[in-house]
Amino acid sequence: MNARLPDKNGHFGIFGGRYAAETLMPALIELEHAYAEAKKDKAFTKEFNRYLQEYSGRETPLYFAERLTKKLGGAKIYLKREDLNHTGSHKINNTLGQALLARRMGKKRVIAETGAGQHGVATATVAALFGMECEIFMGAEDIKRQAPNVFRMKILGAQVTSVTSGTDTLKDAMNEAMRHWVSRVRDTFYVIGTTAGPHPYPAMVRNFQSVIGKETKRQILKKEGRLPDVLIACIGGGSNAMGLFYPFKDNHDITMIGVEAGGKGIATGMHAASISAGNIGVLHGNKTYLLQDEHGQIKDAYSIAAGLDYPGVGPEHGYFQSTGRARYVTVDDAEATEAFLCLSEYEGIIPAMESAHAVAYTMKLAPTLCKDKIIVINLSGRGDKDAGIIAEKLEVH
Amino acid sequence: MRRIQKKFNDLKKRGDKALVAYLTAGDPSLEMTKELIMDLDEAGVDILEIGVPFSDPTADGPTIQAASQRSLQRGTTLSAILHMLETARKFTEIPIVLFGYYNPIFIYGTEQFAKQAKKSGVDGILVVDLPPEESRELRQYTDRAEIDFISLIAPTTSSERIGKISRNATGFLYYVSITGVTGTQKPVVSDIKKEMKRIREQTTMPVVVGFGISTPQQAAEIAPYADGVVIGSAFVRLIEEHGDKNNFVNIICSYAKDIKISLRNR
């Protein structure tokens, strides 16, 4: 399984591929070639790294969470602090890479879909940085739920387009972004925010995000003189998890755990656990695990964390699941909320509700492991945006 | 001879062009879709595209999106559509092409789908999100069932790629006349003329033009350069507006007749 994946048509085993309308195929092939060339070009990599350093503030710290470790009384817990990136999450790693590529391809206009608004903000930010026109597609329902991020995008000069088709959430925003891309494909670059979509997006986003895992490897070797035992990350589309996991994939002693959103409980049907509770299908250009009914119609995802609220998952996670390279578990809204508060109280770090899912699973796992084991959590984003939701919840209880 | 090929041969002999009509199956009901298939056949429509509704139709504009939603809300499934077509096939010889997205077919089961589609008298399939690169997993079964694999060509498709697509396709090719989703812009005739020339250099297969054609005049202007035109959103819009009226079949058929007249001798 060490062959380099994806294959030339974008397949990871049976997953991935390029299931796209013909109007987009030439653009996807053009993107694939442009990206392959850029990847070989040392100047491109150098510039990408410079922006990561000087603009986003990398490298991000690998922080030993001492009080949390003591409280849980088991394995040592480290936090990879992606929340300390410019714009407050790991999303900027990818948008910087794609915007540099867009500029290289001569595209003056970028579009993106967004759910919670983190990817929208990260895209609007790089569009401002490089002087590009920017349009963000966001479900009408999410625009209401995530007003502060809508303001941020507008301040950054982006046009925010409200999507009212379907259920007005992330998958519909992605549908609309794809329709728009079909219509403006000649001058527009579509910045997909996660390791999903048609080839080459899943591999390209993974590669831009794998700076997370590469840094972690270096940092933990320096601090502990060895590699960690367990990596834990939350999974919506799966970009922060893949960014952490990928550089460790050939270190077979390391357990990799992806935490999906269990929402109100798998049994209620209100969740976003595509791997744990979905099955294989084709959506948004790739074959992967999806939430769908028995006739192949896509179901709505639900999670307290808007960034996990997507009925699919990146195809490489499907592949990791099928080979057993990574394990996928779920954490529900209540557990994530408890973890959100716990990390805030014990470490003075307010995590994004998305990242709180990874913390919540760690709270279950760490006490069962010996004290000499090491867990690294990808703390993918900061939680200021979620303060309102939590405040509302606390009043209810 | 397969129905689609025979249809284009007959049209050619008569110097006529194909009118391809699109209906979203199950809008306003599967029963009405069945009736419309037979009535539109009589009204002079040459080929019918029957849309299989999907929850996330990324290649479709607002009109067909809404029709798909209405149909799904009524509980339409691929299985029920194939069943309806099996009945309709007893009363009509019109070539029928299933038009849709891959996931419902994938979940139905590709092998099972090909078998049942054949049994239901389906002549061709057009799966929007199944480009030649990914088509083998379905074609290994539909080819065996002698179901034509209709492919799209877009204004963005390179000449080299047109060659590749047409070698992979059977039945006919469908030229998407706008860089956009269904029913949202008006095609420019001079562009179509130029593009059709580029396509004809690569293939001798019949080529129909669609996405955005809605009036008899547009159809008449485009017909000289194509082997047929596809009217989709315009039919769906008529059904949306008049679907609850008693005379709605007449409205739709008379629209089809107007388009067909405009195509003759072009």
Side-chain angles (χ1 to χ4, degrees):
Chain A
M1 74 170 262
N2 280 329
R4 281 177 78 88
L5 291 177
D7 70 13
K8 69 177 173 46
N9 289 318
H11 296 105
F12 305 87
I14 63 161
F15 300 95
R18 187 141 60 190
Y19 296 84
E22 180 53 30
T23 316
L24 293 182
M25 287 300 287
L28 292 167
I29 292 166
E30 182 196 2
L31 174 62
E32 182 191 351
H33 292 156
Y35 174 58
E37 273 175 29
K39 216 167 76 170
K40 277 187 275 177
D41 181 354
K42 287 200 177 99
F44 179 83
T45 308
K46 200 172 153 196
E47 192 171 24
F48 176 51
N49 288 336
R50 184 169 71 79
Y51 277 106
L52 287 178
Q53 250 177 48
E54 296 172 12
Y55 188 71
S56 187
R58 300 200 75 93
E59 60 182 33
T60 59
L62 182 69
Y63 165 72
F64 173 45
E66 198 174 350
R67 287 196 73 215
L68 183 67
T69 299
K70 270 201 189 121
K71 173 183 155 55
L72 297 176
K76 276 181 100 167
I77 299 164
Y78 280 88
L79 305 176
K80 179 58 176 164
R81 296 291 308 275
E82 290 300 299
D83 59 317
L84 293 177
N85 272 304
H86 179 43
T87 75
S89 83
H90 72 292
K91 291 292 184 190
I92 190 101
N93 302 332
N94 169 49
T95 58
L96 275 171
Q98 290 198 42
L100 282 168
L101 188 57
R103 193 178 66 176
R104 192 182 161 98
M105 292 170 75
K107 309 268 178 180
K108 296 191 166 51
R109 204 168 164 273
V110 293
I111 58 166
E113 81 294 339
T114 197
Q118 295 302 95
H119 174 58
V121 168
T123 305
T125 299
V126 295
L129 173 63
F130 296 122
M132 292 168 171
E133 199 185 308
C134 178
E135 184 171 356
I136 304 293
F137 294 85
M138 192 168 180
E141 200 49 48
D142 287 335
I143 286 183
K144 268 191 265 165
R145 286 196 289 188
Q146 308 285 339
N149 274 342
V150 176
F151 294 136
R152 289 169 78 193
M153 289 184 267
K154 286 184 177 166
I155 289 167
L156 291 161
Q159 182 191 335
V160 180
T161 299
S162 172
V163 176
T164 53
S165 60
T167 51
D168 308 354
T169 58
L170 178 57
K171 99 178 155 76
D172 308 294
M174 193 150 177
N175 289 341
E176 209 51 41
M178 288 183 101
R179 287 182 191 117
H180 181 87
W181 196 33
V182 167
S183 314
R184 291 284 301 261
V185 66
R186 288 188 175 95
D187 72 343
T188 299
F189 188 104
Y190 181 13
V191 182
I192 292 185
T194 191
T195 48
H199 180 60
Y201 282 100
M204 180 170 73
V205 176
R206 171 195 77 195
N207 294 344
F208 286 140
Q209 288 293 1
S210 51
V211 64
I212 302 171
K214 285 182 200 157
E215 283 179 8
T216 302
K217 216 171 197 177
R218 213 162 51 225
Q219 290 167 317
I220 198 77
L221 284 173
K222 205 167 163 194
K223 283 177 199 289
E224 294 281 348
R226 70 177 188 90
L227 294 177
D229 300 289
V230 185
L231 304 174
I232 301 182
C234 66
I235 307 250
S239 71
N240 90 78
M242 195 49 75
L244 176 65
F245 293 175
Y246 191 70
F248 290 96
K249 75 171 174 23
D250 297 325
N251 300 98
H252 291 279
D253 297 336
I254 299 176
T255 305
M256 310 197 298
I257 302 173
V259 185
E260 294 191 296
K264 296 189 172 169
I266 300 296
T268 65
M270 291 189 71
H271 58 78
S274 320
I275 295 181
S276 307
N279 42 44
I280 298 170
V282 174
L283 178 71
H284 293 153
N286 62 144
K287 188 182 279 180
T288 188
Y289 283 98
L290 301 173
L291 299 179
Q292 54 184 326
D293 69 13
E294 72 268 36
H295 303 291
Q297 306 296 342
I298 308 305
K299 288 204 268 195
D300 294 325
Y302 162 82
S303 167
I304 189 172
L308 303 181
D309 199 346
Y310 179 68
V313 66
E316 197 162 15
H317 285 294
Y319 177 70
F320 278 1
Q321 151 82 9
S322 72
T323 60
R325 183 61 197 94
R327 234 162 25 89
Y328 296 87
V329 299
T330 64
V331 150
D332 67 24
D333 284 358
E335 293 166 320
T337 306
E338 198 192 322
F340 177 96
L341 294 171
C342 180
L343 195 69
S344 303
E345 284 166 21
Y346 278 82
E347 295 291 349
I349 297 170
I350 303 177
M353 270 317 291
E354 292 78 13
S355 322
H357 284 71
V359 177
Y361 190 74
T362 307
M363 287 167 64
K364 293 189 203 180
L365 182 70
T368 69
L369 301 177
C370 311
K371 290 191 175 173
D372 61 349
K373 298 282 180 192
I374 299 170
I375 296 176
V376 174
I377 304 175
N378 193 2
L379 202 73
S380 55
R382 69 170 186 234
D384 315 38
K385 68 183 180 63
D386 299 307
I389 303 172
I390 296 298
E392 259 174 49
K393 262 196 129 92
L394 289 180
E395 279 193 16
V396 172
H397 287 303
Chain B
M1 191 185 291
R2 297 186 188 183
R3 283 191 197 95
I4 291 172
Q5 194 190 347
K6 183 172 181 305
K7 175 60 79 174
F8 280 105
N9 288 351
D10 291 351
L11 286 165
K12 201 168 184 184
K13 267 183 231 154
R14 294 207 305 266
D16 197 358
K17 300 295 166 82
L19 168 56
V20 183
Y22 168 95
L23 301 172
T24 298
D27 177 42
S29 68
L30 271 181
E31 193 51 40
M32 283 311 303
T33 305
K34 186 175 73 185
E35 222 180 295
L36 281 170
I37 290 171
M38 295 182 279
D39 292 335
L40 285 172
D41 179 12
E42 270 177 38
V45 167
D46 297 294
I47 296 173
L48 271 167
E49 277 183 5
I50 299 301
V52 178
F54 181 48
S55 52
D56 296 79
T58 48
D60 284 302
T63 305
I64 292 177
Q65 284 173 46
S68 305
Q69 275 304 319
R70 286 194 299 272
S71 176
L72 289 175
Q73 270 156 19
R74 293 187 63 102
T76 306
T77 63
L78 176 56
S79 162
I81 293 166
L82 291 169
H83 188 76
M84 176 275 287
L85 291 176
E86 196 172 348
T87 315
R89 187 43 93 206
K90 291 175 187 149
F91 304 99
T92 171
E93 277 299 304
I94 191 166
I96 289 177
V97 174
L98 275 187
F99 180 105
Y101 296 80
Y102 186 42
N103 200 49
I105 295 172
F106 178 74
I107 294 298
Y108 188 97
T110 44
E111 186 171 11
Q112 188 58 28
F113 165 79
K115 266 189 207 154
Q116 183 56 49
K118 177 75 187 167
K119 202 171 152 215
S120 298
V122 170
D123 301 291
I125 48 164
L126 198 171
V127 188
V128 181
D129 52 354
L130 204 63
E133 289 85 348
E134 304 288 356
S135 64
R136 216 188 67 87
E137 60 185 75
L138 179 59
R139 290 202 55 177
Q140 57 181 323
Y141 302 116
T142 52
D143 282 356
R144 202 183 303 157
E146 298 185 317
I147 293 171
D148 284 325
F149 189 83
I150 321 292
S151 288
L152 295 174
I153 287 174
T156 48
T157 310
S158 68
S159 295
E160 185 197 350
R161 197 169 160 80
I162 291 171
K164 179 177 172 178
I165 291 171
S166 53
R167 281 190 296 278
N168 188 61
T170 59
F172 60 90
L173 294 167
Y174 185 141
Y175 176 64
V176 175
S177 58
I178 52 170
T179 308
V181 293
T182 54
T184 50
Q185 304 161 37
K186 283 184 186 150
V188 179
V189 178
S190 58
D191 290 348
I192 291 175
K193 183 180 170 187
K194 213 164 52 192
E195 287 297 301
M196 287 301 295
K197 190 166 168 276
R198 200 162 68 90
I199 297 169
R200 302 282 198 206
E201 282 166 7
Q202 301 293 329
T203 180
T204 54
M205 279 181 93
V207 184
V208 303
V209 176
F211 276 45
I213 305 170
S214 64
T215 66
Q217 198 200 333
Q218 279 176 322
E221 282 169 12
I222 290 166
Y225 311 107
D227 298 297
V229 298
V230 188
I231 311 271
S233 296
F235 274 111
V236 173
R237 214 171 293 129
L238 280 178
I239 291 171
E240 183 179 359
E241 280 166 23
H242 304 287
D244 54 351
K245 294 177 190 155
N246 289 332
N247 63 339
F248 111 97
V249 172
N250 293 339
I251 295 172
I252 291 172
C253 289
S254 88
Y255 172 73
K257 280 175 193 160
D258 288 346
I259 301 272
K260 187 64 203 177
I261 289 166
S262 76
L263 289 176
R264 290 220 165 100
N265 307 313
R266 299 297 303 189

